[in-house]
Amino acid sequence: MAASTPKIQVHGHRGARAMFPENTLPAFEYAIRQGVDALELDMAVTKDNVVVVSHDLLLHKPVCSGPREDVPIREVTLAELRQWDCGAIRNPGFATQTPIPGTHIPTLDEVFQLASRGSFEFNIETKMSDRRAELSPEPEAFVKLVLELVRKHKLEKRVILQSFDFRTLAVMKKLAPEIRLSALFVEKDRDWLAVAKETGARILSPNSKLVTSARVKAAHDAKLVVIPWTPNTPAEWDKMIAAGADAIISDDPAALIAYLKKKGLH
């Protein structure tokens, strides 16, 4: 009997920013309705140590418009953050995006409250850099804030912690080894297996332009999972399928799910 074709999971990038304002509850709710396997999202921390969901560490247009431009999230309280509207302006990179004026940056706690709507996972990224240390807490403090919320909602088995800053992966591995780790990277000459060894991550998440069949096979031989970001067209998806990617992070998860279903891959 022939083996069944492996299915490819779909992660909704920043929810579904091709359709709704990125990293907002409307985007996440839409992605859930479309049947995503995981919500992909980014985390920042406010002045009063609330974990919020934002890709950018500075508040600026077109993502967020408010009383001032380029204000660090780390320098405002959650109450002050609510003064910014993060749904009023269509992202010029996505003509299909529907603005939703009055939409605010959600807290991670609010996003985790969506967990009861399905069995999807949460692929959550710590946004930080040692080059701009003032924009985020120290790695251990950041991870402790996140882990507290993961445990509050009992989502240990449904959360993946991902980061370009491997310091947070090391902290999570020490504090909660049961949480899956994903190493994000974009460097062309990066040794994939060395990244896994360095971080302890069993998931590799490269820029999709780096993905080749040979690299994916080597990762699979080492019992690693490969989740590239962020191909958004059928031609790009075909390359990921041919290479053997385990999951795909995309800005248009509904279109990707439909595309994979036609091929019997979702």
Side-chain angles (χ1 to χ4, degrees):
M1 184 175 179
S4 59
T5 304
K7 303 300 183 185
I8 297 175
Q9 291 195 335
V10 174
H11 292 213
H13 188 233
R14 307 186 199 178
R17 70 169 176 164
M19 305 305 292
F20 291 102
E22 66 178 63
N23 278 321
T24 63
L25 291 177
F28 296 131
E29 290 167 343
Y30 168 83
I32 293 168
R33 291 195 302 271
Q34 304 311 308
V36 294
D37 299 288
L39 298 177
E40 192 276 347
L41 54 96
D42 310 278
M43 301 176 293
V45 180
T46 63
K47 183 178 181 179
D48 48 347
N49 286 325
V50 178
V51 182
V52 295
V53 179
S54 175
H55 176 270
D56 299 334
L57 297 179
L58 301 177
L59 296 162
H60 55 74
K61 298 175 182 177
V63 177
C64 294
S65 52
R68 292 173 288 150
E69 187 80 354
D70 291 325
V71 176
I73 289 175
R74 188 63 175 152
E75 294 182 6
V76 296
T77 64
L78 178 63
E80 293 168 336
L81 188 62
R82 299 302 193 193
Q83 299 175 49
W84 274 262
D85 189 328
C86 301
I89 303 174
R90 177 183 290 110
N91 187 318
F94 298 93
T96 54
Q97 189 184 89
T98 299
I100 305 181
T103 302
H104 301 296
I105 287 178
T107 64
L108 182 63
D109 189 57
E110 290 170 333
V111 176
F112 278 169
Q113 288 174 36
L114 300 174
S116 62
R117 300 191 185 186
S119 58
F120 54 87
E121 299 182 331
F122 296 86
N123 189 359
I124 61 177
E125 179 183 348
T126 49
K127 300 301 291 189
M128 62 184 304
S129 169
D130 56 4
R131 296 188 297 273
R132 295 295 304 274
E134 76 280 5
L135 296 180
S136 61
E138 289 297 311
E140 185 155 351
F142 199 154
V143 171
K144 283 182 176 179
L145 290 170
V146 172
L147 184 57
E148 180 181 359
L149 292 168
V150 172
R151 288 177 168 162
K152 172 186 173 182
H153 291 273
K154 298 179 172 58
L155 292 172
E156 291 91 339
K157 293 183 179 179
R158 290 173 62 182
V159 161
I160 299 168
L161 183 75
Q162 62 174 348
S163 193
F164 287 99
D165 191 320
F166 296 161
R167 294 176 300 167
T168 51
L169 301 184
V171 172
M172 185 64 86
K173 186 174 180 64
K174 178 181 70 174
L175 296 180
E178 71 274 19
I179 303 292
R180 287 166 293 163
L181 305 176
S182 178
L184 289 160
F185 57 98
V186 69
E187 299 85 358
K188 292 181 181 179
D189 56 352
R190 203 76 188 251
D191 182 323
W192 289 24
L193 300 188
V195 168
K197 185 176 181 180
E198 175 188 348
T199 61
R202 306 308 296 169
I203 301 171
L204 298 177
S205 195
N207 182 292
S208 61
K209 293 180 174 60
L210 306 181
V211 175
T212 65
S213 297
R215 283 173 166 169
V216 173
K217 182 181 184 305
H220 286 169
D221 288 346
K223 308 301 183 186
L224 303 172
V225 172
V226 178
I227 307 179
W229 49 274
T230 12
N232 288 324
T233 68
E236 293 171 331
W237 297 334
D238 281 339
K239 291 179 181 178
M240 300 303 101
I241 294 168
D246 298 286
I248 299 172
I249 300 172
S250 181
D251 290 306
D252 195 351
L256 175 54
I257 289 170
Y259 190 77
L260 293 174
K261 282 185 174 179
K262 286 182 181 179
K263 295 177 174 288
L265 296 173
H266 194 270

